[in-house]
Amino acid sequence: MRDTPYLVVDVELLEQNLTDMAAHARRLGVALRPHAKTHKSPEIARRQLAHGAVGLTVATVGEAEVFAAHGVDDLFIAYPVWAVGPRASRLRALAERARVRVGVDSVEGVRLLAASGAAVTVAIEIDSGHARSGVAPAEAAGLARAALDAGLGVDGVFTFPGHSYAPDRRAAAAADEERALRTARDGMLAQGIPCPVVSGGSTPSVEHATPGVLTELRPGVYPLLDAQQWELGSAEPGRIALTARATVVSARGHRVIVDAGNKVLGADRLAFATGFGRLPAHPEARVVALSEHHATIEFPAGTDLPGLGDRLSLAPNHVCSAVNLAELLVAVHSEGREEEWPVAARGANT
Amino acid sequence: MRDTPYLVVDVELLEQNLTDMAAHARRLGVALRPHAKTHKSPEIARRQLAHGAVGLTVATVGEAEVFAAHGVDDLFIAYPVWAVGPRASRLRALAERARVRVGVDSVEGVRLLAASGAAVTVAIEIDSGHARSGVAPAEAAGLARAALDAGLGVDGVFTFPGHSYAPDRRAAAAADEERALRTARDGMLAQGIPCPVVSGGSTPSVEHATPGVLTELRPGVYPLLDAQQWELGSAEPGRIALTARATVVSARGHRVIVDAGNKVLGADRLAFATGFGRLPAHPEARVVALSEHHATIEFPAGTDLPGLGDRLSLAPNHVCSAVNLAELLVAVHSEGREEEWPVAARGANT
């Protein structure tokens, strides 16, 4: 018996999710380069590569360092890395152990990368509608030219269609992504700049990706899934492979309180979310309040309530946040065997 | 030069905040037992005790274990601890190294504590309006009687007036707290049950506490403060002692993106918050979007914008969440000297 709260990975569901996404990428004829920020786990990375992933995507040099140390030799830091100070030398060392591609969205960022002396290639980040980092599609060729002029190899273009995180915008975000990437690629080709990599993909939008422009997809959440994907309509609740195991410690009326709060689940709550997480085994229940060590779960009147001391499984709203709070994942195999998988890249933010 | 993002503690501001709260408690004639979940730091705990705190409050047995290992000998686990499995024996071992008080809000919880054999005392948790854990004030005496019958010592009663987390409800929550605790205490006294400890207090409500009923206050956030306290009106921005140091990595129009996202700041956002954090040096700016490694900061038209590569300091909305994501705090002394303070109780959720 393990003290709650802790995170559980259902290995059979994980494998189903890995299998399905690998098949989807094959059908589309694109490479799969999963975003490892979701799981931060060398063991899940190993399984993704075994299912045919061409390499990993990460968000930081720190994450890249962890996965490179675990033998991953092809890494894309899909972020406008600001290569100054210790980070510049870290990037140089990293590029000696793995093939490294880095995101850029400014001429200044390109120049710092070139000045760092790190043997990396770059991909131009495009804003396809999420309005975060990234240049407009029409600006891709100019920035690619600046990178080439600075002596950097240019792999191509990428985008994150983060505006797919709304139940009614998944298909539209996929269409935006494709249009933006096509414009960016065609702009480069028109100037005689090769663009072999056209990289997109988020877990909510990837189902709507079509063959043609994309050469690579970078979904992150799909191996584990979460309450957000359930409520977005991009995951069946029965496919959620990561849950927090928690104990009912207090009860009143139609509400129970369990000991997994936002220091376990994370505090993420997008506008469409019906609560602060969901219970796959109790779709009728809602997590109506969340504090650091309390999740308040409301059950409809007339339903059976869990009792004090019962253990419940909660899907976090956003699995990436929950995993990043944990030191380890308790992996449960179908035959009941348990393993502890370290969250080796937890907190690797720099 | 340190790679961003990282958390900084301004030691001079920390000391001012510690001094002021200690003076406030002295004026009220109550003991101060700060909630250490905020900082999880033995060094900040040491400073709180040096300022006269009678002991610490923690949320979990795991936090208590960390602080006991660092020499803190008087600990209140202000949570309805469910003492089963390994936790029962951990609690026994803990109570051999420190005086330990534990929260209870059910007869079942009391019985498990008694059965654990741990040499702890209990305090009855009262719901004073937050509608989380805790019994109604009128039920305190009955639960205290059950604890005594089970052979446990009863220190008194406590509550967390968490409904103080709204700008216009701080004073009302303090009044609710006092009323609920008075009713609970008087109910115990009427049945001949001593109630020496009457414990309340949250950072937003503590300013409104009055002498009389309370014997102990347990604010947590006050040493470091955060954007929530600023926007609640319970902290001046110039007193916020913890910020995330981050680099501008992307810019467009009146928005810049820095490299501290919700994996550094936490995703907390209460209804009254104007964004996902604030910049004490730029009160005019708003953090309008936050993803895992991007904070999007909007500046009003006509103001000077930070440039690419500039470093900015962001106060998280909720400091407890931000600290729990970090391995260490970079403590900066007034003369410029830097120290690294470990977040020793990070992730101690069980």
Side-chain angles (χ1 to χ4, degrees), chain A residues 4 87 105 250 327 346, chain B residues 4 87 105 250 293 327 346:
Chain A
T4 58
R87 187 180 287 121
D105 83 343
S250 184
E327 301 296 329
R346 197 212 77 71
Chain B
T4 58
R87 187 180 288 121
D105 84 342
S250 184
H293 298 278
E327 301 296 329
R346 198 213 76 72

Side-chain angles (χ1 to χ4, degrees), chain B residues 222-248:
Chain B
Y222 76 94
L224 299 172
L225 298 171
D226 54 25
Q228 278 180 184
Q229 301 297 331
W230 176 4
E231 297 195 338
L232 279 165
S234 40
E236 295 295 324
R239 279 297 188 92
I240 296 174
L242 182 139
T243 51
R245 196 76 176 148
T247 301
V248 176

Side-chain angles (χ1 to χ4, degrees), chain A residues 22-42:
Chain A
H24 182 55
R26 274 195 301 274
R27 272 193 305 273
L28 288 169
V30 301
L32 191 61
R33 186 186 285 277
H35 209 312
K37 71 180 172 62
T38 296
H39 54 72
K40 293 177 174 277
S41 153

Side-chain angles (χ1 to χ4, degrees), chain A residues 49 65-75 97-98:
Chain A
L49 295 167
E65 288 168 335
V66 170
F67 287 106
H70 283 85
V72 180
D73 62 1
D74 193 337
L75 292 157
R97 349 178 31 160

Side-chain angles (χ1 to χ4, degrees), chain A residues 1-310:
Chain A
M1 187 178 191
R2 188 184 287 269
D3 285 336
T4 58
Y6 57 92
L7 298 185
V8 175
V9 172
D10 181 315
V11 179
E12 189 173 2
L13 293 177
L14 167 67
E15 280 294 325
Q16 286 180 27
N17 295 335
L18 294 177
T19 302
D20 284 3
M21 188 61 79
H24 182 55
R26 274 195 301 274
R27 272 193 305 273
L28 288 169
V30 301
L32 191 61
R33 186 186 285 277
H35 209 312
K37 71 180 172 62
T38 296
H39 54 72
K40 293 177 174 277
S41 153
E43 173 59 23
I44 298 179
R46 186 190 65 73
R47 289 168 182 259
Q48 289 175 317
L49 295 167
H51 278 273
V54 297
L56 296 183
T57 305
V58 295
T60 66
V61 176
E63 287 181 344
E65 288 168 335
V66 170
F67 287 106
H70 283 85
V72 180
D73 62 1
D74 193 337
L75 292 157
F76 175 20
I77 309 172
Y79 192 84
V81 169
W82 201 253
V84 296
R87 187 180 287 121
S89 46
R90 291 166 56 207
L91 199 57
R92 272 200 306 279
L94 177 70
E96 286 168 11
R97 349 178 31 160
R99 167 167 156 62
V100 178
R101 183 202 297 161
V102 176
V104 290
D105 83 343
S106 68
V107 173
E108 295 86 338
V110 159
R111 287 184 183 146
L112 287 171
L113 275 177
S116 77
V120 300
T121 57
V122 301
I124 312 298
E125 183 172 5
I126 309 299
D127 178 11
S128 58
H130 185 37
R132 199 174 64 178
S133 46
V135 300
E139 298 167 9
L143 188 53
R145 175 60 62 201
L148 292 168
D149 289 349
L152 292 166
V154 176
D155 284 1
V157 293
F158 77 106
T159 193
F160 174 64
H163 54 314
S164 61
Y165 275 79
D168 54 354
R169 292 203 326 228
R170 293 166 52 216
D176 288 346
E177 168 183 63
E178 198 173 308
R179 189 164 44 241
L181 288 173
R182 185 189 299 273
T183 302
R185 179 201 64 181
D186 290 351
M188 284 172 59
L189 296 178
Q191 298 205 19
I193 304 170
C195 185
V197 172
V198 180
S199 177
S202 67
T203 296
S205 61
V206 70
E207 174 186 338
H208 301 279
T210 58
V213 179
L214 290 160
T215 69
E216 176 180 285
L217 287 170
R218 307 184 321 277
V221 171
Y222 76 93
L224 299 172
L225 299 171
D226 55 25
Q228 276 180 184
Q229 301 296 331
W230 176 3
E231 296 195 339
L232 279 166
S234 41
E236 294 295 325
R239 278 300 187 90
I240 296 175
L242 181 138
T243 50
R245 196 76 175 148
T247 301
V248 177
V249 296
S250 184
R252 189 163 39 162
H254 287 280
R255 291 182 168 191
V256 300
I257 287 168
V258 299
D259 60 0
N262 61 36
K263 280 179 172 167
V264 171
L265 299 172
D268 301 61
R269 185 175 177 174
L270 293 176
F272 62 82
T274 67
F276 293 93
R278 288 291 292 272
L279 287 75
H282 297 279
E284 74 284 9
R286 288 295 181 278
V287 183
V288 295
L290 192 68
S291 43
E292 286 161 66
H293 298 278
H294 306 70
T296 304
I297 307 172
E298 188 165 282
F299 288 78
T303 56
D304 282 346
L305 281 174
L308 282 167
D310 284 356

